[in-house]
Amino acid sequence: EDECLVLEKGTSLFLYTDGVTEAESGVKELFSDDKLLHLLKENCNCSPDEITDRVMAGVVSHASGAEQSDDITMMCIKFK
Protein backbone atom coordinates (compact mmCIF):
# COMPACT_ATOMS: atom_id res chain seq x y z
CA GLU A 1 0.00 0.00 0.00
CA ASP A 2 1.33 3.43 -0.97
CA GLU A 3 1.04 6.35 1.39
CA CYS A 4 2.16 9.95 1.27
CA LEU A 5 3.35 11.89 4.29
CA VAL A 6 4.24 15.58 4.25
CA LEU A 7 6.78 16.52 6.90
CA GLU A 8 6.97 20.06 8.17
CA LYS A 9 10.10 22.14 8.74
CA GLY A 10 11.96 20.98 11.84
CA THR A 11 10.55 17.46 11.69
CA SER A 12 12.78 14.41 12.08
CA LEU A 13 12.25 10.99 10.60
CA PHE A 14 13.88 7.96 12.27
CA LEU A 15 13.94 4.67 10.36
CA TYR A 16 15.19 1.41 11.85
CA THR A 17 15.11 -2.35 11.52
CA ASP A 18 13.59 -4.66 14.12
CA GLY A 19 17.10 -5.53 15.28
CA VAL A 20 17.09 -2.27 17.26
CA THR A 21 13.98 -2.95 19.35
CA GLU A 22 14.60 -6.70 19.51
CA ALA A 23 18.19 -6.41 20.76
CA GLU A 24 18.43 -8.72 23.78
CA SER A 25 20.16 -8.23 27.10
CA GLY A 26 22.08 -11.04 28.77
CA VAL A 27 18.81 -12.17 30.41
CA LYS A 28 16.90 -12.11 27.09
CA GLU A 29 15.05 -8.83 27.79
CA LEU A 30 14.28 -6.92 24.57
CA PHE A 31 15.38 -3.31 24.09
CA SER A 32 11.71 -2.54 23.21
CA ASP A 33 9.73 0.16 21.43
CA ASP A 34 9.28 1.99 24.74
CA LYS A 35 13.02 2.32 25.34
CA LEU A 36 13.55 3.50 21.77
CA LEU A 37 10.78 6.10 22.03
CA HIS A 38 12.18 7.33 25.34
CA LEU A 39 15.64 7.82 23.79
CA LEU A 40 14.18 9.57 20.75
CA LYS A 41 12.16 11.95 22.92
CA GLU A 42 15.20 12.72 25.10
CA ASN A 43 17.35 13.48 22.06
CA CYS A 44 14.88 15.03 19.61
CA ASN A 45 16.77 18.34 19.51
CA CYS A 46 20.08 16.68 18.60
CA SER A 47 21.53 16.32 15.13
CA PRO A 48 20.68 13.17 13.14
CA ASP A 49 24.20 11.80 13.76
CA GLU A 50 23.87 12.37 17.50
CA ILE A 51 20.44 10.73 17.57
CA THR A 52 21.64 7.55 15.84
CA ASP A 53 24.82 7.49 17.98
CA ARG A 54 22.80 7.80 21.19
CA VAL A 55 20.30 5.13 20.17
CA MET A 56 23.18 2.80 19.27
CA ALA A 57 24.84 3.53 22.62
CA GLY A 58 21.55 2.70 24.35
CA VAL A 59 21.26 -0.60 22.48
CA VAL A 60 24.89 -1.53 23.26
CA SER A 61 24.42 -0.63 26.92
CA HIS A 62 21.21 -2.66 27.08
CA ALA A 63 22.88 -5.71 25.49
CA SER A 64 25.66 -5.62 28.11
CA GLY A 65 27.94 -7.75 25.95
CA ALA A 66 25.26 -10.24 24.84
CA GLU A 67 25.76 -11.58 21.31
CA GLN A 68 23.95 -9.64 18.57
CA SER A 69 21.20 -11.84 17.09
CA ASP A 70 19.93 -9.60 14.26
CA ASP A 71 21.04 -6.72 12.06
CA ILE A 72 20.88 -3.26 13.59
CA THR A 73 20.23 -0.59 11.00
CA MET A 74 18.98 2.95 11.53
CA MET A 75 18.80 6.24 9.70
CA CYS A 76 17.72 9.67 10.90
CA ILE A 77 16.75 12.57 8.64
CA LYS A 78 16.01 16.06 9.93
CA PHE A 79 14.17 18.51 7.69
CA LYS A 80 15.40 22.08 8.13
Side-chain angles (χ1 to χ4, degrees):
E1 183 176 321
D2 291 338
E3 291 186 38
C4 181
L5 176 66
V6 178
L7 300 174
E8 295 183 23
K9 186 176 181 177
T11 302
S12 294
L13 180 64
F14 185 81
L15 306 167
Y16 62 97
T17 59
D18 63 350
V20 173
T21 54
E22 294 177 1
E24 294 181 344
S25 68
V27 293
K28 304 292 184 191
E29 177 187 1
L30 298 180
F31 184 70
S32 78
D33 293 329
D34 289 339
K35 287 181 183 174
L36 175 59
L37 286 172
H38 178 76
L39 272 175
L40 292 174
K41 286 177 183 178
E42 276 188 339
N43 296 287
C44 66
N45 292 319
C46 296
S47 72
D49 285 340
E50 290 172 320
I51 291 171
T52 54
D53 287 347
R54 291 177 185 188
V55 170
M56 190 63 199
V59 170
V60 168
S61 175
H62 172 80
S64 301
E67 187 175 329
Q68 185 176 329
S69 61
D70 198 356
D71 69 294
I72 295 176
T73 305
M74 59 186 113
M75 177 174 63
C76 185
I77 301 168
K78 186 170 274 194
F79 296 93
K80 294 184 176 184

